[in-house]
Amino acid sequence: MNVDRFYPIIALAFLAAGTLWLERVTRAPEIVQQADRTHPDFIGDNVRVARFDTDGRLAYELDADRITHYPASDITDLERPHLRYHSERGETSAMAARGETGPDGEVVDLRGEVVVLRKSHDGDDLIIESETLSVWPDAQKASTDSPVVLKNGNITAYGDGMRADNLAGTLDLVGAARVLMPSSRRTRP
C-alpha cells in the first residue's frame, strides 16, 4: 500500500480540524446577558435636566421623581418622568409612570399612563393618552405602537399607534383610526 496517497487526505483532515477550532475560538458567546440593573452608580431624587438651544433659550426640561443609572448597561431608569418643551406656539409636556433612557440619551421611552398635553396660546389644547411613547427630545419627535386616544376640545380620535413631529406640526394616527365629532349646525342635514 502506498502511504504517499494518504498525505493529501491527512493534510485535509488537519485543515478541517484547524478550521473548526478557529471558528469555535472566534465565535461570539451565544448567551445574551441581560443588562445589569443590580448595581447602580447614581441615584437622584427630584432631578431636573434642562437643555438649551444654540441661542441659549430653554429648549426642554426633563423632571423625574427619581433617576437610577446603571453603569454596566448605561441605562437610566426614570420614576414619574415629566418632559416639557417650550416654544413660541406654547408648551408641550409628556408624563408617565416610568421611563428609561439608553446609553446615548437620544430617546426617552415612556411607559405606563402616558399623557401628552400640548397647550396653545389660543386655548386649543390637545391631550394624547397611551400606555407607551418613545420621545426624541432633541428632534422633538414621538411615536408609539400602542393604542392612542387624542382629545381636542369636543373631538376624540382613536388609533392603533401614532407618529408625531412637533417641529413640523404633524401628528399621524397609525393603523385603524376613528374620529368622534359631535354634530354642529353646519353638519346637520
Side-chain angles (χ1 to χ4, degrees), residues 27-112:
R27 182 187 317 172
E30 293 180 19
I31 299 172
V32 177
Q33 296 181 356
Q34 269 192 323
D36 179 16
R37 292 193 182 197
T38 56
H39 300 93
D41 66 341
F42 178 79
I43 297 174
D45 291 326
N46 300 316
V47 176
R48 172 174 286 168
V49 177
R51 176 79 175 219
F52 297 88
D53 64 16
T54 56
D55 297 327
R57 290 181 301 228
L58 182 62
Y60 66 86
E61 298 170 279
L62 174 62
D63 295 335
D65 287 354
R66 173 174 272 216
I67 67 169
T68 306
H69 180 260
Y70 300 94
S73 60
D74 202 13
I75 290 176
T76 303
D77 283 334
L78 309 165
E79 291 181 23
R80 305 295 311 158
H82 185 180
L83 180 64
R84 286 185 308 280
Y85 292 102
H86 306 278
S87 71
E88 296 82 28
R89 291 182 277 173
E91 182 179 293
T92 301
S93 64
M95 298 156 280
R98 306 213 40 89
E100 176 182 289
T101 62
D104 57 7
E106 182 180 330
V107 63
V108 178
D109 290 314
L110 303 173
R111 61 188 179 281

Side-chain angles (χ1 to χ4, degrees), residues 10-21:
I10 294 170
L12 283 175
F14 277 118
L15 184 61
T19 303
L20 284 172
W21 173 80

Side-chain angles (χ1 to χ4, degrees), residues 124-144:
D124 194 21
D125 297 346
L126 173 69
I127 299 170
I128 302 169
E129 298 171 346
S130 183
E131 273 304 304
T132 64
L133 184 69
S134 294
V135 180
W136 290 262
D138 289 330
Q140 294 194 31
K141 294 183 179 183
S143 73
T144 183

